[in-house]
């Protein structure tokens, strides 16, 4: 992988998508705003940081990578400092490398698939001496403008709807199946856990899922 070329490809994609060049401002303002930096601003693009671990054996590579992922998650982002994403390339062997794209959840949802595809397609085209035509995407700014107008036009109707829907509800929905005898430590790290439910709690979970239309096996 040519790291310099990869960085150029991601820079082109960031220039194409304003959301990848945004940060937030809130100090001295009535409400937070999302600020789009100009595509020509070098600070609006992420650089590829290269980690050469080819001298390490595979077991040590995996251990160090797991520790690095933990540190990367805990590092978070400064919301007032664009870009709210970063790229790290790990060289693990002559034909083995890893690319980690870390981004703040306010930028992308499942659209991360589009962005990743566009960046890698641009890289492949540039490496072959050609260009990749980035597809046109609808502007998120237009959606925000529509949303504000929609809320302004329908605010009273929305209040009435939810007031009627929630009338009579006083307590939060209990999640009895997820109660624990001891609280989980707040490490800020996500993982997976397997546990068994007794018959009573299993039925509770099925009833709760049915209320929101989620089928369970």
């Amino acid at each position: 992988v040519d790291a310099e070329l990869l960085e150029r490809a991601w820079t082109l994609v960031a220039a194409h998508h304003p959301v990848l060049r945004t940060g937030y401002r809130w100090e001295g303002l009535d409400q937070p705003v999302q600020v789009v930096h100009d595509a020509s601003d070098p600070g609006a693009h992420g650089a590829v940081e290269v980690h050469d671990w080819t001298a390490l054996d595979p077991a040590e590579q995996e251990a160090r990578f797991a520790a690095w992922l933990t540190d990367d998650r805990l590092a978070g982002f400064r919301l007032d400092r664009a870009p709210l994403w970063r790229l790290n390339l790990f060289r693990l062997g002559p034909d083995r490398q890893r690319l980690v794209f870390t981004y703040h959840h306010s930028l992308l949802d499942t659209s991360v698939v589009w962005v990743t595809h566009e960046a890698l397609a641009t890289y492949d085209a540039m490496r072959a001496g050609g260009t990749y035509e980035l597809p046109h995407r609808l502007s998120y700014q237009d959606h925000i403008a529509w949303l504000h107008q929609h809320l302004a036009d329908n605010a009273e109707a929305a209040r009435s709807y939810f007031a009627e829907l929630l009338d009579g509800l006083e307590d939060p929905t209990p999640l009895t199946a997820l109660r624990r005898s001891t609280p989980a430590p707040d490490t800020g790290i996500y993982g997976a856990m397997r546990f068994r439910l007794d018959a009573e709690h299993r039925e509770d979970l099925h009833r709760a899922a049915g209320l929101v239309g989620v089928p369970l096996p």
Side-chain angles (χ1 to χ4, degrees), residues 97-211:
Q97 300 176 77
R98 276 184 182 147
L99 177 67
V100 179
F101 173 39
T102 308
Y103 59 94
H104 192 270
H105 67 85
S106 66
L107 300 188
L108 303 167
D109 47 22
T110 54
S111 54
V112 65
V113 177
W114 296 347
V115 169
T116 306
H117 169 75
E118 291 175 11
L120 297 182
T122 300
Y123 170 81
D124 286 340
M126 293 171 67
R127 192 168 188 179
T131 58
Y132 175 74
E133 185 176 350
L134 292 167
H136 172 70
R137 306 288 186 190
L138 295 178
S139 169
Y140 189 64
Q141 183 178 358
D142 291 340
H143 169 68
I144 293 296
W146 173 86
L147 188 61
H148 277 284
Q149 189 60 50
H150 179 75
L151 292 176
D153 294 343
N154 298 277
E156 191 54 45
R159 278 197 211 75
S160 299
Y161 170 78
F162 283 104
E164 181 178 350
L165 182 68
L166 302 175
D167 185 39
L169 293 179
E170 301 292 340
D171 299 318
T173 303
L175 300 176
T176 56
L178 300 181
R179 286 178 183 162
R180 297 168 57 97
S181 56
T182 57
D186 183 17
T187 61
I189 310 243
Y190 296 96
M193 180 178 68
R194 290 180 177 271
F195 58 93
R196 290 183 176 275
L197 298 175
D198 57 35
E200 179 184 354
H201 285 157
R202 185 175 183 277
E203 291 302 316
D204 287 343
L205 186 59
H206 273 261
R207 280 194 295 271
L211 290 174

Side-chain angles (χ1 to χ4, degrees), residues 6 17 19-20 24 33 37 45 59 61-62 76 88 111 116 121 136 145 168 182 190 195 212 214:
L6 185 66
H17 295 294
V19 72
L20 295 178
Y24 295 89
V33 295
H37 293 257
H45 307 294
Q61 287 177 349
E62 291 304 313
N88 284 268
S111 54
T116 306
H136 172 70
T182 57
Y190 296 96
F195 58 93
V212 292
V214 179

Side-chain angles (χ1 to χ4, degrees), residues 61-77:
Q61 287 177 349
E62 291 304 313
R64 288 185 63 171
F65 186 68
W68 181 89
L69 284 177
T70 297
D71 292 340
D72 187 54
R73 291 190 183 103
L74 293 176
F77 291 95

Side-chain angles (χ1 to χ4, degrees), residues 47-70:
V48 176
E49 185 172 348
V50 180
H51 309 260
D52 189 350
W53 290 357
T54 52
L56 305 177
D57 63 67
E60 187 173 356
Q61 287 177 349
E62 291 304 313
R64 288 185 63 171
F65 186 68
W68 181 89
L69 284 177
T70 297

